Amino acid sequence: VLVWGVILLFREVFIRRSVLKNKYTILLLLFCIANGITTLFNFPDRFLYGVVTEGYVCVFLLVFFITSMRNGESEDYGFIQKVFWIHIILSFIFAVLGLVCFVFNISIAYEFGGLELYIGLRDNRLWGFYNPNTGGSICVIALVFSFILLKLAPERKKFLYANIVLQYIYLILTQSRSAWYVFVGIIVLYTLFNFLIPVLRKQTDIGHKIKQLVIRLLFVLVICISPSVVKQVVVVFPNAVVAIQNTFFEEDGEKKESVSLKRLDEEKIREQDGTNGRSELWSAGLKVFRESPVLGVGSENIIDRGEKYLSESRFENLEKGGLHNSYLMILVASGIVGFIIMFAFFLCMVVDGFKMLIIDRFSGASVLIILLFGMMANELMEARLIYNSSYLNIVFWILAGTVVGYYYRKEKRRR
């Protein structure tokens, strides 16, 4: 896949020259160049790994982004709908499997990349096929995609509503705080730009405005308090299965314990801080940054350089998920030069995005913009945007390109 991606990259850079099309593609090209210089600067430290990572960075930031941007500039929604359906179908299958494991209290351990992962319940959280935080993020994306397709594909409403229910339950059972906050943030922003502001602008009596505002705010409030209610309801099913097993299939006098959905690390989090130990990773990241502030240490060297600044348990977290902050990862890996370039890119995304939300309400594109903001906010607690080859990485850059293409299509219309 990487080889094919490099071929496409060569076409976009040297034949079509689409990397010079606008400020976004120019910034991404500059970042890829800066990151390549960082890799050379840190030679020979994990140089081959750095070259491979640079290949992925270029493919994701340029090929995925530019291809999606080109489709976003057209009136044909076929490309992005295919992306929606691929994600929805896959997440639906995983949600069904995960919830079946939950109901029957099944937990399966397996190894991937030297890490021990789980399917089903573990530490009173519902894992996916990677980890609960990634599972929660995938649920949020599936919920937004399903919501958009309710308008674009009304003939599939029954399936989409079923998927919304499943993904919502799955999201709650992952107990991923970062994913849940992003979900609530998306609802708040959507309610603000698509309901509250339009209601306030309408030339109607004040009583009607207050009624509409109260209804929308109550909806947001219900969403915020729903997790505890949902958990109390759904936990009845696995506990019923446990009760049946203890009654009819008891072996050697040992009974299975009832299922609990209380997070095991809640007390530890209260004793530490609200970041669940991420602050120690961030502190170590800043110390590594000081070793090479201008060009960075390279993404592949962060683990080796950061080990001396971390306790054993936190070092395991670094190995599994990096610095758990994409923006800090960019600063440490690519230095001040790379960080400034990517900061300019994200700033342009946010500024142009808010302009579109104000101008173009009630569209599927506005929901995508808000989802993109949510994914960017989520990266304050995770590190998945640039240096690794992951599913969420691919989805983000496809959405980013699609949204930017939409920006420029709207600009052309206004002219």
Side-chain angles (χ1 to χ4, degrees):
V1 173
L2 180 59
V3 171
W4 176 240
V6 170
I7 294 171
L8 296 177
L9 178 67
F10 182 87
R11 182 186 67 176
E12 296 294 348
V13 174
F14 296 104
I15 299 176
R16 292 182 172 178
R17 296 183 181 179
S18 48
V19 291
L20 303 176
K21 188 171 184 179
N22 55 55
K23 61 186 178 185
Y24 288 101
T25 54
I26 291 172
L27 286 170
L28 292 180
L29 175 63
L30 289 174
F31 179 81
C32 289
I33 293 172
N35 194 65
I37 293 172
T38 295
T39 302
L40 293 172
F41 176 75
N42 287 282
F43 180 86
D45 292 349
R46 294 178 63 83
F47 180 70
L48 181 59
Y49 292 98
V51 171
V52 173
T53 298
E54 171 70 5
Y56 278 116
V57 168
C58 291
V59 169
F60 290 145
L61 271 63
L62 296 177
V63 176
F64 278 99
F65 181 86
I66 291 172
T67 303
S68 304
M69 184 184 67
R70 190 177 296 118
N71 283 283
E73 288 180 316
S74 70
E75 296 286 351
D76 181 15
Y77 296 101
F79 170 78
I80 195 62
Q81 282 199 54
K82 289 175 183 176
V83 174
F84 288 172
W85 281 115
I86 289 171
H87 181 90
I88 286 172
I89 292 170
L90 288 175
S91 60
F92 179 83
I93 293 170
F94 294 151
V96 170
L97 293 174
L99 290 172
V100 167
C101 288
F102 169 74
V103 170
F104 291 97
N105 197 15
I106 298 170
S107 180
I108 303 170
Y110 68 101
E111 282 194 9
F112 179 78
L115 303 175
E116 188 175 27
L117 304 172
Y118 304 91
I119 299 172
L121 278 174
R122 175 73 178 183
D123 296 335
N124 298 345
R125 302 176 67 185
L126 185 57
W127 287 55
F129 284 76
Y130 186 67
N131 66 51
N133 292 330
T134 299
S137 298
I138 288 174
C139 289
V140 173
I141 297 170
L143 285 165
V144 173
F145 287 177
S146 297
F147 178 77
I148 295 173
L149 285 174
L150 284 173
K151 295 182 179 180
L152 297 179
E155 69 279 5
R156 298 284 187 269
K157 274 189 175 181
K158 290 182 180 179
F159 171 75
L160 292 170
Y161 278 124
N163 189 55
I164 287 173
V165 172
L166 287 178
Q167 300 300 331
Y168 182 65
I169 295 173
Y170 203 113
L171 170 62
I172 291 172
L173 293 179
T174 64
Q175 303 198 65
S176 170
R177 291 181 178 86
S178 56
W180 178 255
Y181 293 150
V182 167
F183 176 63
V184 172
I186 289 171
I187 291 175
V188 170
L189 280 179
Y190 183 78
T191 302
L192 175 65
F193 284 102
N194 290 276
F195 293 108
L196 299 187
I197 293 176
V199 166
L200 291 173
R201 287 177 173 176
K202 282 183 179 178
Q203 298 300 318
T204 56
D205 62 276
I206 189 68
H208 178 74
K209 288 183 178 180
I210 292 174
K211 180 181 177 182
Q212 290 295 314
L213 291 175
V214 168
I215 291 173
R216 304 304 177 190
L217 292 174
L218 282 175
F219 174 75
V220 174
L221 180 62
V222 168
I223 291 292
C224 291
I225 64 175
S226 62
S228 59
V229 178
V230 171
K231 285 191 287 187
Q232 288 177 11
V233 173
V234 298
V235 79
V236 171
F237 296 99
N239 281 331
V241 172
V242 169
I244 293 171
Q245 289 173 333
N246 287 336
T247 302
F248 297 101
F249 303 102
E250 184 178 348
E251 295 180 5
D252 301 326
E254 294 182 3
K255 290 189 176 183
K256 291 190 175 182
E257 294 182 1
S258 59
V259 174
S260 172
L261 293 177
K262 183 179 181 181
R263 277 190 61 159
L264 298 181
D265 58 356
E266 282 184 353
E267 188 172 338
K268 183 190 287 187
I269 291 171
R270 284 194 294 269
E271 291 174 355
Q272 295 175 346
D273 53 53
T275 68
N276 196 12
R278 287 178 173 88
S279 57
E280 187 179 336
L281 288 172
W282 299 340
S283 176
L286 291 173
K287 290 174 183 175
V288 174
F289 163 71
R290 295 190 190 103
E291 296 179 9
S292 181
V294 178
L295 292 176
V297 302
S299 60
E300 295 300 318
N301 299 315
I302 290 177
I303 293 176
D304 291 339
R305 302 275 186 104
E307 184 176 7
K308 58 182 175 288
Y309 300 118
L310 292 167
S311 62
E312 185 176 347
S313 60
R314 287 294 163 238
F315 179 65
E316 290 178 3
N317 294 141
L318 179 65
E319 288 182 303
K320 291 177 182 178
L323 294 172
H324 284 270
N325 184 308
S326 278
Y327 310 105
L328 182 59
M329 282 285 290
I330 295 169
L331 180 65
V332 178
S334 300
I336 293 173
V337 174
F339 180 80
I340 290 174
I341 294 170
M342 285 307 299
F343 178 80
F345 174 87
F346 289 126
L347 182 62
C348 290
M349 288 283 296
V350 171
V351 171
D352 288 343
F354 274 111
K355 286 180 183 177
M356 288 297 108
L357 288 176
I358 294 170
I359 295 170
D360 190 43
R361 301 184 304 275
F362 301 109
S363 70
S366 69
V367 188
L368 277 189
I369 293 170
I370 293 171
L371 172 60
L372 205 61
F373 287 173
M375 294 181 74
M376 289 165 63
N378 198 19
E379 292 306 304
L380 291 168
M381 305 297 282
E382 303 292 342
R384 301 173 295 207
L385 281 192
I386 292 181
Y387 301 107
N388 60 352
S389 53
S390 70
Y391 177 75
L392 289 175
N393 186 321
I394 293 171
V395 171
F396 176 83
W397 290 107
I398 288 176
L399 293 182
T402 302
V403 166
V404 167
Y406 174 77
Y407 291 167
Y408 284 104
R409 175 152 52 90
K410 283 295 180 181
E411 264 189 26
K412 289 178 184 177
R413 282 185 176 179
R414 286 200 299 273
R415 291 172 186 171

